[in-house]
Amino acid sequence: MFIIDQIILLAAILIIFGILSSKLSARLGLPVLVMFLLVGMLAGQDGPGGIAFDNAQIAHSLGSLALAIILFDGGLQTPITSIKQVWKPASVLATFGVLITATITGIAAAYILNVSLLYGLLIGAIVGSTDAAAVFSLLRNAGIHINPRLKSTLEIESATNDPMAIFLTVGLLEIMVKGLEPGTGLLLLFIQQMGVGTLVGLACGWISVRTINCINLTTSGLYPVMVAALGLLSFGIAANLGGSGFLAIFITGVVIGNSRFVFQRSTFLFHDGLAWLGQILMFVILGLLVNPLSLLDIWFEGLIIAIVLTLIARPLSVLPILKLFGFNMREITLVSWVGLRGSVPIILAIYPLIYGLPDANMIFNVVFFVVLISATIQGSTLPLVARALKLTEPAPATPAATLEITALGNVDADIVKYQLGSNSRASNRRLSQMALPDGTVVAMITRGDHVISPRGSTLLHADDHLFIMMKPNVRDFVDIVCSGIAETNQDDLPDTELCLKGYTKVGDIQHSYGIELLMESHLSLDEVLNHAFAGNPIEGASKDFNKVTLFVREMVGQRVVTVGLMPIKHVDY
């Protein structure tokens, strides 16, 4: 038997156990990463598995690759609207927040462990970043929902604070081992890491989208692989130019994920699975690397450092920043508590081993213990804290899913699946009353195990699944029609023209979009415009009604068959 045969068998067993442990995670209220780490520890030399593994270089290499894949998937799944909404507080938390957390924790660690200040600051830098995957996988499993602004702040901060922690760790190691100048040298390293990483990420993302859409591959299965390769290319280019590869691959993912490209849906599914595989492999390998018995030697010091990090350093770094951006104390408290440490600190704890730093094993054990305590205690109590702070919200409607028209390649249309909630605008309405944008077609309706043929008279129920074909530019309007009544109003409408059929009723428009035309609800847009123009409307003419302008876009004889509707914003009446 070849050694590779044994490695394949062990890898398969560990991956399967890792996947099965994710089911147990939800029942125990623990983050998935804790379960994966425990699988690795149990499989290690001191556990029942008895696998001997102590190669820090291999663990670092595989961990960095897995982390790059996870960050790339995070970028693909991050809407640009979320970034625009919270980029200011999230970016300050991801930079100055990490710096403050690392400094306070580092000073405390130096005193607690009786080591030099540089050693303490190194530990502080290593545990300075948070783990978004652990937080939100736990929130989803526990059925906890928080407001979008708070959720986006936590996600963007966690996705972008890793490069800062990596920079601080590498910078301190360069000072301690290679004598890098702390002032100017460290500042130049920061500018190089962040600047090169950002520029490469943006450039590779822009080039990637055009490459994917222009290249004509022989099989659709190669497109997700192509996207993965382009993401790793941005990481490699940035890292070899002295920049942050992790920042570059995240930005590349954001650019690609917020663009239209062929076989988009299958690409997202592929990378979601790839990211889960990366998490399992990374945490299991890191679990294998640690010696559980050695954690007993530093458990008390590690516990004190974890307490300082959680109850002092994190709150002191979060409070002034979020207060500056208008967050209330309950929100600030939750963000302070959602400081779960995850994969990055453990991977960074390998760096001192690679650099050959004295007492590197002690640093690794302390960091590993801090991560375990943080993820276990904060992770298991997070739902309780969110409820105690009264920051939980009702579960939103099931997000719409875009289905690909793969047979037609890059066709300029989408089939989107919506599941109606009990408070959806479309629930308990006839299909003809939805006031959908012109050219939008409901292709199929499913109710339980039954398929219903769409007709204008079809009455829609909560939990119905609607498969709607539409142009990409009207997606925001259809989202509003299928969303909850309390979630949107006229001021939330996109700043683009909404085209409707002339027979659309005024009352249906108000119910579907919150648009008030201040006239009888039974009138159609055709009747409204004919009356407004004394029976002689012409194409291109427009008329203001309350806070809305109606445009005559298409006529057949004297009938107005297509009407453009544009909200008038920032006007006081």
Side-chain angles (χ1 to χ4, degrees):
M1 181 182 292
F2 296 105
I3 187 64
I4 188 61
D5 300 333
Q6 298 175 341
I7 293 175
I8 291 173
L9 176 61
L10 288 173
I13 292 173
L14 290 175
I15 291 171
I16 291 171
F17 270 103
I19 293 171
L20 294 177
S21 70
S22 68
K23 296 289 292 183
L24 186 61
S25 168
R27 295 187 178 184
L28 296 178
L30 293 175
V32 177
L33 75 89
V34 175
M35 302 305 298
F36 293 163
L37 285 172
L38 291 177
V39 169
M41 293 170 69
L42 291 172
Q45 189 171 7
D46 292 331
I51 300 174
F53 179 77
D54 60 357
N55 194 315
Q57 190 71 49
I58 292 177
H60 169 261
S61 300
L62 292 177
S64 297
L65 176 62
L67 181 59
I69 292 171
I70 293 167
L71 284 175
F72 186 53
D73 178 66
L76 289 173
Q77 306 289 347
T78 302
I80 196 69
T81 51
S82 297
I83 296 177
K84 289 180 179 179
Q85 183 185 23
V86 299
W87 73 269
K88 290 180 180 179
S91 60
V92 177
L93 282 175
T95 49
F96 290 102
V98 172
L99 181 61
I100 296 170
T101 300
T103 302
I104 296 173
T105 306
I107 293 172
Y111 176 78
I112 293 167
L113 295 170
N114 194 25
V115 295
S116 69
L117 181 60
L118 280 178
Y119 266 77
L121 290 175
L122 178 61
I123 293 173
I126 289 173
V127 298
S129 64
T130 58
D131 191 285
V135 173
F136 289 103
S137 64
L138 180 62
L139 285 176
R140 288 192 294 270
N141 291 336
I144 301 298
H145 302 276
I146 56 178
N147 73 69
R149 182 190 182 212
L150 195 58
K151 181 174 183 289
S152 297
T153 301
L154 289 164
E155 286 181 328
I156 305 304
E157 179 218 357
S158 299
T160 55
N161 66 8
D162 295 339
M164 184 65 178
I166 294 169
F167 156 73
L168 291 174
T169 301
V170 173
L172 286 168
L173 284 170
E174 292 285 331
I175 293 172
M176 297 169 69
V177 177
K178 299 183 180 179
L180 178 71
E181 186 179 344
T184 307
L186 201 59
L187 177 62
L188 291 175
L189 180 63
F190 175 80
I191 295 172
Q192 181 179 351
Q193 284 271 304
M194 300 303 174
V196 173
T198 301
L199 291 176
V200 171
L202 291 171
C204 284
W206 185 85
I207 294 170
S208 296
V209 173
R210 278 142 190 84
T211 302
I212 297 162
N213 286 330
C214 290
I215 195 170
N216 188 17
L217 298 175
T218 55
T219 174
S220 60
L222 289 176
Y223 283 95
V225 180
M226 180 77 172
V227 172
L230 290 168
L232 293 174
L233 179 67
S234 69
F235 180 95
I237 292 174
N240 281 279
L241 291 177
S244 171
F246 296 106
L247 180 61
I249 198 169
F250 175 75
I251 292 175
T252 299
V254 171
V255 174
I256 294 175
N258 287 275
S259 305
R260 284 186 62 82
F261 57 91
V262 294
F263 302 106
Q264 192 168 28
R265 177 66 178 166
S266 57
T267 297
F268 286 167
L269 290 174
F270 172 83
H271 282 87
D272 186 49
L274 200 61
W276 272 107
L277 179 61
Q279 284 198 68
I280 294 171
L281 289 175
M282 176 172 59
F283 289 124
V284 169
I285 289 173
L286 293 175
L288 284 172
L289 187 63
V290 72
N291 181 356
L293 295 177
S294 64
L295 299 180
L296 298 177
D297 298 330
I298 51 83
W299 74 268
F300 181 74
E301 293 85 351
L303 180 62
I304 301 300
I305 293 172
I307 292 173
V308 171
L309 172 64
T310 304
L311 301 181
I312 300 175
R314 173 73 175 175
L316 287 179
S317 66
V318 167
L319 177 60
I321 294 173
L322 293 189
K323 200 69 177 174
L324 182 66
F325 290 101
F327 287 77
N328 61 47
M329 283 306 300
R330 290 185 296 115
E331 293 173 328
I332 293 172
T333 302
L334 184 65
V335 173
S336 298
W337 191 250
V338 184
L340 274 73
R341 269 56 199 173
S343 57
V344 175
I346 301 177
I347 292 174
L348 291 181
I350 301 175
Y351 280 48
L353 296 170
I354 296 174
Y355 273 75
L357 193 71
D359 293 325
N361 283 311
M362 180 269 294
I363 294 175
F364 181 85
N365 291 332
V366 168
V367 170
F368 196 97
F369 189 84
V370 169
V371 169
L372 274 180
I373 293 296
S374 170
T376 302
I377 296 179
Q378 291 174 268
S380 60
T381 58
L382 182 56
L384 297 175
V385 173
R387 293 191 186 99
L389 293 171
K390 298 181 179 179
L391 290 173
T392 59
E393 296 185 349
T398 303
T402 303
L403 310 179
E404 284 185 326
I405 313 174
T406 55
L408 300 180
N410 194 28
V411 66
D412 189 28
D414 291 325
I415 296 179
V416 183
K417 185 189 80 170
Y418 293 90
Q419 181 179 358
L420 300 182
S422 58
N423 68 332
S424 292
R425 295 173 183 267
S427 292
N428 302 314
R429 305 275 291 178
R430 303 286 178 186
L431 191 59
S432 59
Q433 296 175 313
M434 289 182 69
L436 291 171
D438 184 33
T440 301
V441 178
V442 177
M444 185 174 70
I445 302 171
T446 62
R447 183 175 298 156
D449 296 331
H450 302 286
V451 176
I452 300 172
S453 298
R455 296 186 178 89
S457 60
T458 302
L459 182 65
L460 302 174
H461 297 168
D463 294 325
D464 281 357
H465 293 263
L466 275 60
F467 296 80
I468 304 177
M469 182 175 290
M470 68 187 77
K471 293 281 189 180
N473 61 327
V474 303
R475 169 71 180 269
D476 291 339
F477 290 108
V478 181
D479 285 348
I480 291 173
V481 177
C482 296
S483 68
I485 294 176
E487 294 177 17
T488 52
N489 54 48
Q490 181 170 325
D491 295 331
D492 297 322
L493 291 174
D495 292 321
T496 56
E497 183 177 318
L498 169 62
C499 287
L500 298 166
K501 290 294 187 183
Y503 55 71
T504 306
K505 303 293 184 182
V506 169
D508 296 337
I509 296 173
Q510 179 172 344
H511 184 87
S512 293
Y513 302 102
I515 297 173
E516 297 182 7
L517 296 177
L518 297 184
M519 57 189 64
E520 296 180 48
S521 61
H522 68 273
L523 295 175
S524 68
L525 293 178
D526 171 38
E527 292 171 328
V528 169
L529 288 171
N530 262 288
H531 182 268
F533 291 103
N536 190 32
I538 58 174
E539 289 189 7
S542 64
K543 193 76 173 179
D544 291 347
F545 296 88
N546 193 23
K547 297 182 181 181
V548 173
T549 302
L550 297 182
F551 300 87
V552 180
R553 291 306 184 201
E554 184 181 358
M555 295 190 63
V556 175
Q558 288 300 113
R559 287 190 308 111
V560 180
V561 296
T562 306
V563 178
L565 186 152
M566 176 71 78
I568 303 172
K569 298 201 175 183
H570 310 298
V571 178
D572 295 322
Y573 288 84

